[in-house]
Amino acid sequence: MISRSEVLETNKMISEENLDVRTITMGINLLDCADSDPNKLCNKIYDKITKSAENLVKTGDDIAKEYGIPVVNKRISVTPVALVANGHTQDTCVNIAKTLDKAAINVGVNFIGGYSALVQKGSTPSDINLVRSIPEALSSTERVCSSVNVGSTRNGINMNAVKKIGEVVKEMAYLTRNEGSMACAKFVVFCNAVEDNPFMAGAFHGVGERDKVINVGVSGPGVVKYALQSVREADFETLCETVKKTAFKITRVGQLVAQEASRRLEVPFGIIDLSLTPTPAIGDSIAEIFNEMGLEAAGAPGTTAALAILNDNVKKGGLMASSYVGGLSGAFIPVSEDHGMIEAVQSGALTLEKLEAMTCVCSVGLDMIAIPGDTSAATISGVIADEMAIGMINNKTTAVRIIPAYGKTVGESVEFGGLLGTAPVMPVNGYSCERFIRRGGRIPAPVHSFKN
């Protein structure tokens, strides 16, 4: 039984503190759509998605209206397309992307993820075709998101793929140069990617999942910030307890929405991802949480410790509120989507190197970071390799979503609009790593990967 005080408290979190359900994401298995005929393959994919998700948007809107809980996005994730397109050409991969886009527009979802490949140990011809097709696929579609997993703790890092991804990112930036290199914002490269992540651009429906599933991502950095205002001078034990209790309340809201969506859509409930995901709005910022903890700006000494506190206690609180916490869960630090992060970059408090250090303890990694458009493909691959190494060695998910903003230099900004916000162009270390990246091959798994 939910008490009257809990109802009032939740209403306050929604109306004053920017609490929302960031996404209801329906995962859909496409393996049964496989067909040697490219046209039949695309038709099967379109039919399954549109039939499975025909009521997804309406259901999310109905729940938001009835319960007064904002449900910001309704999305779809599908089986990694490289698996579904096995045996097909690069052109067919692009046609699948266009089919996904058409289906997403038909059912009205914001994004559809899963134009993906899993190449942590090596690449099949299908994987290679898909990776090569990503620039054309993302530049010719509106709502398709793509990801590639290039490393894992158990398998090491596929450096051939890392090298290729640097080139892919550069090509995407050029093909969408008139839209602020927007295609790069719809692509992420992972180490230790998870199969039940509801957040874009990295969502895909893992092969270990059911045929269809509902995953919900909740968010509430504003709620955490307001909660911390009452313990400004308290010790760290009190601070941690406050974050933990607040995360519990946030997760309960997500659990309610997830179970209701599952019931109405007659699709099994998967997980709650309780990641704190900021928006460009004032009061909905991870950086503002750091300010409440006592830091002058994101990037100040102590920022990594503050993020570690936040990430750990969000997970501890969420785990008490739901038996099925999954996805990434913790705190995201996308620069362009957080006004406090943007201000910290512009003031010089936050650098790319500090962000990389912070990714050791956050949910994902280098996220929505704009760099000069003339940055070389090898340098981009080097940044990716560094982040993948952090994930591999620390047995955690790390990712890179980086935008070499075509025609832009340090000090300028790239406007994406909506939740993607504005990205200030950040400087990148100018020393070359080209010979290192050119080696190719695979970085072996670390010794602690052998746990059987």
Side-chain angles (χ1 to χ4, degrees), residues 41 43 51-52 83 128 155 180 196 204 206 233 282 364 374-375 416 423 434:
L41 171 61
N43 289 337
K51 182 178 180 180
S52 299
L83 301 177
I128 292 168
N155 296 299
D196 54 8
F204 63 86
E233 304 306 320
I282 304 295
V364 192
D374 61 359
T375 305
F416 297 114
E434 188 169 351

Side-chain angles (χ1 to χ4, degrees), residues 205-396:
H205 186 67
V207 295
E209 298 286 324
R210 286 169 282 196
D211 191 57
K212 288 181 288 187
V213 70
I214 290 291
N215 296 322
V216 167
V218 295
S219 183
V223 181
V224 174
K225 176 205 167 186
Y226 281 100
L228 291 179
Q229 288 178 347
S230 63
V231 294
R232 279 185 175 173
E233 304 306 320
D235 60 21
F236 281 107
E237 288 85 352
T238 304
L239 186 153
C240 291
E241 281 298 309
T242 302
V243 174
K244 190 162 57 177
K245 290 176 181 178
T246 305
F248 177 87
K249 297 170 186 176
I250 293 170
T251 307
R252 282 188 57 156
V253 173
Q255 179 86 354
L256 170 66
V257 171
Q259 290 179 334
E260 192 63 19
S262 173
R263 182 184 67 81
R264 296 187 186 194
L265 291 166
E266 298 182 342
V267 173
F269 162 51
I271 56 94
I272 299 289
D273 186 318
L274 51 105
S275 296
L276 298 183
T277 53
T279 71
I282 304 295
D284 202 25
S285 161
I286 299 295
E288 288 182 353
I289 296 176
F290 297 154
N291 298 151
E292 279 301 327
M293 287 183 175
L295 301 176
E296 184 178 1
T303 300
T304 305
L307 184 55
I309 290 168
L310 183 62
N311 213 48
D312 184 54
N313 286 283
V314 163
K315 292 178 180 179
K316 287 174 178 174
L319 286 169
M320 293 298 293
S322 174
S323 297
Y324 297 101
V325 172
L328 297 165
S329 290
F332 285 7
I333 50 172
V335 172
S336 77
E337 299 172 23
D338 186 316
H339 81 90
M341 294 287 188
I342 293 170
E343 291 170 2
V345 170
Q346 291 172 334
S347 69
L350 188 60
T351 64
L352 188 61
E353 287 75 18
K354 182 62 175 179
L355 280 165
E356 183 179 296
M358 291 163 65
T359 64
C360 296
V361 297
C362 79
S363 283
V364 192
L366 297 173
D367 196 10
M368 286 303 293
I369 293 170
I371 59 175
D374 61 359
T375 305
S376 70
T379 295
I380 294 170
S381 294
V383 171
I384 292 170
D386 284 343
E387 196 62 32
M388 300 302 100
I390 290 172
M392 176 184 71
I393 295 296
N394 292 288
N395 196 23
K396 70 181 294 292

Side-chain angles (χ1 to χ4, degrees), residues 4-319:
R4 177 181 174 83
S5 63
E6 285 181 296
V7 172
L8 293 174
E9 186 177 36
T10 302
N11 286 339
K12 181 175 181 291
M13 289 192 294
I14 292 168
S15 62
E16 300 178 20
E17 301 169 9
N18 295 304
L19 174 64
D20 60 54
V21 171
R22 188 57 49 87
T23 180
I24 298 176
T25 301
M26 178 181 285
I28 303 173
N29 168 39
L30 297 184
L31 289 175
D32 57 352
C33 297
D35 199 293
S36 59
D37 185 308
N39 293 326
K40 289 181 180 178
L41 171 61
C42 289
N43 289 337
K44 287 181 180 180
I45 289 172
Y46 180 82
D47 290 344
K48 183 159 189 182
I49 292 172
T50 53
K51 182 178 180 180
S52 299
E54 60 182 342
N55 296 316
L56 176 60
V57 172
K58 181 180 183 301
T59 299
D61 291 342
D62 288 347
I63 292 172
K65 183 177 180 181
E66 291 175 30
Y67 287 90
I69 301 169
V71 179
V72 180
N73 297 296
K74 280 70 69 174
R75 296 166 171 170
I76 295 170
S77 63
V78 299
T79 309
V81 167
L83 301 177
V84 184
N86 188 35
H88 287 278
T89 65
Q90 185 174 324
D91 287 341
T92 298
C93 290
V94 174
N95 288 335
I96 292 173
K98 293 177 179 179
T99 300
L100 295 176
D101 202 46
K102 181 181 175 183
I105 292 169
N106 179 290
V107 300
V109 295
N110 309 91
F111 288 112
I112 183 165
Y115 195 75
S116 308
L118 310 177
V119 298
Q120 57 269 21
K121 201 171 184 179
S123 303
T124 67
S126 178
D127 294 326
I128 292 168
N129 284 336
L130 184 127
V131 170
R132 287 175 175 170
S133 75
I134 288 172
E136 182 180 357
L138 295 194
S139 63
S140 61
T141 57
E142 176 188 348
R143 306 187 188 190
V144 174
C145 291
S146 175
S147 61
V148 179
N149 191 73
V150 300
S152 73
T153 300
R154 294 302 299 263
N155 296 299
I157 303 172
N158 181 349
M159 290 300 293
N160 290 327
V162 169
K163 179 178 182 296
K164 182 61 182 177
I165 294 301
E167 298 165 2
V168 164
V169 170
K170 285 285 288 184
E171 187 177 352
M172 283 192 289
Y174 177 77
L175 290 176
T176 53
R177 60 194 179 278
N178 295 325
E179 296 86 47
S181 299
M182 177 66 181
C184 300
K186 299 188 293 176
F187 173 77
V188 60
V189 55
F190 278 115
C191 179
N192 291 320
V194 298
E195 296 190 331
D196 54 8
N197 166 26
F199 288 107
M200 300 298 168
F204 63 86
H205 186 67
V207 295
E209 298 286 324
R210 286 169 282 196
D211 191 57
K212 288 181 288 187
V213 70
I214 290 291
N215 296 322
V216 167
V218 295
S219 183
V223 181
V224 174
K225 176 205 167 186
Y226 281 100
L228 291 179
Q229 288 178 347
S230 63
V231 294
R232 279 185 175 173
E233 304 306 320
D235 60 21
F236 281 107
E237 288 85 352
T238 304
L239 186 153
C240 291
E241 281 298 309
T242 302
V243 174
K244 190 162 57 177
K245 290 176 181 178
T246 305
F248 177 87
K249 297 170 186 176
I250 293 170
T251 307
R252 282 188 57 156
V253 173
Q255 179 86 354
L256 170 66
V257 171
Q259 290 179 334
E260 192 63 19
S262 173
R263 182 184 67 81
R264 296 187 186 194
L265 291 166
E266 298 182 342
V267 173
F269 162 51
I271 56 94
I272 299 289
D273 186 318
L274 51 105
S275 296
L276 298 183
T277 53
T279 71
I282 304 295
D284 202 25
S285 161
I286 299 295
E288 288 182 353
I289 296 176
F290 297 154
N291 298 151
E292 279 301 327
M293 287 183 175
L295 301 176
E296 184 178 1
T303 300
T304 305
L307 184 55
I309 290 168
L310 183 62
N311 213 48
D312 184 54
N313 286 283
V314 163
K315 292 178 180 179
K316 287 174 178 174
L319 286 169

